[in-house]
Amino acid sequence: MSDVRLELLERSLANGLTRVPLRNPGVETFAVAVSLRAGQGVETDAQHGIAYLTGACLEEGTRRRSSVEPAEAVEGLGGSLDAAANGATLQCPVDEAAKAVRLVREVCLEPAFTPREVRRVQQEVLAEIEAEDADP
């Protein structure tokens, strides 16, 4: 079994974001994550559920891409994307790193939130809640 060597360098950026690159020289994969101080933990009672719905809609298109194009772009990278109320993570082969960073940025900072897609995702979430409630 080989030793795991992780290289970590945290840096605060001028725009207030914190960049935390982590490198494992023995691995040929790349992951980029955007973590937001958002989510159900910061919602008021009146906002309950909005963060979850917002996160669920992040993968449903951007200002530049239709609802299916983000998934197609991730597939083209040979990767996987997980978006939620508190940000997104994209994993892919290391040689697609630059494209992955641009895509996860676009998904988090330029979501389309088209009414049609928001309604569709809202109906999916409501169906999930009903299924959970019906399961003893």
Side-chain angles (χ1 to χ4, degrees):
M1 182 181 233
S2 64
D3 291 334
V4 175
R5 293 185 344 240
L6 300 178
E7 301 168 11
L8 176 70
L9 177 64
E10 183 173 332
R11 188 173 110 198
S12 294
L13 305 177
N15 62 7
L17 297 177
T18 301
R19 187 183 113 187
V20 186
L22 176 66
R23 185 170 181 265
N24 183 351
V27 178
E28 295 297 319
T29 58
F30 174 80
V32 59
V34 173
S35 297
L36 307 170
R37 287 189 187 115
Q40 290 105 335
V42 297
E43 286 180 328
T44 65
D45 288 342
Q47 297 169 325
H48 186 71
I50 295 295
Y52 184 87
L53 180 62
T54 300
C57 290
L58 285 178
E59 296 179 50
E60 304 303 325
T62 69
R63 285 185 272 175
R64 296 185 240 178
R65 298 174 197 259
S66 72
S67 61
V68 297
E69 288 176 322
E72 291 172 345
V74 171
E75 186 177 321
L77 297 175
S80 64
L81 174 65
D82 181 37
N86 60 351
T89 302
L90 197 154
Q91 299 176 3
C92 65
V94 72
D95 59 332
E96 299 289 2
K99 291 177 186 174
V101 169
R102 286 191 298 272
L103 181 57
V104 79
R105 180 215 168 276
E106 182 180 335
V107 166
C108 289
L109 298 180
E110 301 178 34
F113 295 128
T114 60
R116 179 180 178 195
E117 292 303 319
V118 172
R119 279 192 300 275
R120 183 184 60 74
V121 172
Q122 181 183 32
Q123 292 305 312
E124 289 176 4
V125 170
L126 290 172
E128 290 171 9
I129 292 169
E130 287 176 13
E132 286 178 18
D133 288 347
D135 189 16

